[in-house]
Amino acid sequence: MLAALPLLVGIQLLIAFLHHDVSHVPTGPLAPELADETPPPS
């Protein structure tokens, strides 16, 4: 039972990291000069 503890803690840390990564999405453009470009016509 004690040997499963590092595995469970590792999985919990991985889930916490993924939650943090997905919930902190950048909302604005990272490069202002790229925000003014118009997309190519399709």
Side-chain angles (χ1 to χ4, degrees):
M1 180 66 187
L2 193 59
L5 188 62
L7 181 65
L8 294 174
V9 171
I11 292 172
Q12 181 67 32
L13 287 174
L14 182 64
I15 292 172
F17 167 74
L18 290 175
H19 172 72
H20 176 79
D21 187 42
V22 169
S23 64
H24 291 85
V25 177
T27 56
L30 297 178
E33 63 272 3
L34 296 177
D36 297 332
E37 291 185 9
T38 58
S42 55

